[in-house]
């Protein structure tokens, strides 16, 4: 698509629509509905992540298939995991969420603010928001944010049926946060080679697969601690260009 930012616009509309429907549901959706909906969306996310990864790694060679980028993927995930664990990004994000909740609840009682903060954190803080915005900005591919929009639709519908109208206002941070990141990526696009964009995209797709695993089966993978993996292909390219090598 030529329209940069379409993913964020669709995501914002999905949050508004999902929370609107949730407001009509009294007492929240039954847990069995919530669980099955999230498992279904988790499976969809896994296959979309796997598809993106395969697209970046598989090449047709004569009558067979070869893989490329294996070393880039291994280096990205290993170095990304080491840096992520060193920084402990997962714990940082969890503590940040707790601090915001505590401060808000001290200042004001009621479901509005709690709903706004809870839903904003859940739908803004995550690999899909970052990876999807970068993909949309650099390659004009909003598909990851479209998937995130479907997930967020269900999540905010569940939240809004419990917390109320405050959840609907979480559309604002989604619009600002993801929109700014997409714009940032589109500005940097001229600096990035097509090969680097492809590598960023398939490493990101592997992280999206991990997000799908967590949604479908409960939190099994510390995806936030793997987010630095997205920086590694860029570092590899800088080293390669300095040495005069090709990736």
């Amino acid at each position: 698509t030529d329209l940069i930012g379409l993913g964020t616009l669709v995501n914002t509309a999905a949050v508004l629509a999902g929370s609107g429907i949730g407001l009509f549901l009294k007492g929240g959706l039954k847990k069995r509905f919530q669980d099955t909906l999230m498992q279904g969306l988790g499976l969809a996310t896994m296959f979309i992540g796997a598809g993106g990864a395969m697209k970046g790694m598989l090449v047709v060679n004569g009558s067979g298939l070869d893989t490329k980028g294996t070393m880039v993927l291994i280096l990205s995930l290993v170095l990304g995991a080491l840096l992520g664990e060193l920084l402990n990004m997962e714990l940082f994000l969890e503590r940040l969420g707790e601090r915001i909740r505590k401060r808000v609840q001290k200042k004001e009682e009621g479901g509005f603010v709690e709903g706004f903060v809870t839903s904003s954190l859940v739908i803004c803080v995550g690999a899909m928001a970052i990876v999807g915005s970068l993909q949309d900005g650099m390659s004009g591919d909003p598909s990851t944010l479209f998937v995130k929009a479907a997930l967020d639709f269900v999540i905010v519908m569940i939240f809004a049926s419990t917390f109320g109208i405050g959840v609907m206002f979480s559309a604002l941070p989604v619009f600002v946060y993801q929109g700014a990141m997409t714009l940032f990526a589109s500005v940097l696009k001229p600096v990035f080679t097509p090969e680097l964009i492809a590598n960023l995209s398939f490493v990101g797709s592997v992280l999206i697969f991990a997000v799908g695993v967590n949604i479908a089966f409960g939190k099994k993978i510390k995806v936030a601690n793997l987010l630095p993996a997205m920086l590694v292909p860029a570092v590899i390219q800088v080293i390669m260009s300095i040495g005069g090598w090709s990736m």
Side-chain angles (χ1 to χ4, degrees):
T1 179
D2 293 324
L3 180 57
I4 300 294
L6 180 62
T8 294
L9 292 174
V10 170
N11 200 166
T12 304
V15 172
L16 291 170
S19 52
I21 292 169
L23 291 173
F24 288 100
L25 300 174
K26 303 295 182 185
L29 287 172
K30 288 183 179 177
K31 192 175 187 304
R32 63 190 180 93
F33 285 98
Q34 293 179 25
D35 291 346
T36 307
L37 280 167
M38 295 308 285
Q39 283 171 357
L41 288 167
L43 286 171
T45 306
M46 286 165 64
F47 274 94
I48 287 158
M54 292 300 102
K55 184 181 175 185
M57 293 184 72
L58 293 180
V59 286
V60 178
N61 184 14
S63 59
L65 288 173
D66 281 342
T67 56
K68 63 174 183 175
T70 310
M71 285 308 300
V72 171
L73 179 62
I74 293 168
L75 282 171
S76 295
L77 291 177
V78 169
L79 296 175
L82 287 170
L83 182 57
E85 281 294 334
L86 191 66
L87 299 171
N88 209 342
M89 293 174 71
E90 194 90 20
L91 184 65
F92 170 76
L93 292 175
E94 284 172 5
R95 284 180 174 171
L96 179 66
E98 268 319 301
R99 278 183 202 151
I100 292 171
R101 280 195 201 98
K102 283 177 183 175
R103 285 180 185 177
V104 166
Q105 284 171 354
K106 278 178 188 174
K107 289 179 183 176
E108 185 178 336
E109 293 298 324
F112 181 97
V113 177
E114 189 183 354
F116 170 72
V117 172
T118 304
S119 56
S120 294
L121 286 170
V122 169
I123 64 183
C124 282
V125 176
M128 288 188 92
I130 295 168
V131 173
S133 299
L134 290 176
Q135 283 178 343
D136 194 5
M138 287 188 297
S139 58
D141 176 15
S143 58
T144 298
L145 290 183
F146 286 172
V147 178
K148 182 178 176 291
L151 288 165
D152 290 351
F153 178 86
V154 176
I155 291 166
V156 297
M157 184 170 67
I158 294 164
F159 282 171
S161 70
T162 306
F163 293 117
I165 199 168
V167 173
M168 188 176 278
F169 286 84
S170 62
L172 183 62
V174 167
F175 179 76
V176 173
Y177 172 67
Q178 289 180 186
M181 205 177 303
T182 300
L183 188 64
F184 173 73
S186 68
V187 169
L188 285 180
K189 183 181 173 181
V191 181
F192 294 158
T193 64
E195 194 173 11
L196 174 58
I197 292 170
N199 285 335
L200 286 170
S201 185
F202 93 78
V203 170
S205 292
V206 172
L207 296 183
I208 287 164
F209 179 87
V211 172
V213 170
N214 287 350
I215 294 167
F217 304 111
K219 196 169 183 181
K220 306 284 184 187
I221 302 168
K222 292 193 278 187
V223 180
N225 281 0
L226 290 173
L227 281 175
M230 291 288 291
L231 300 172
V232 177
V235 174
I236 292 172
Q237 178 175 281
V238 170
I239 293 168
M240 292 290 194
S241 63
I242 290 169
W245 306 302
S246 61
M247 286 178 82

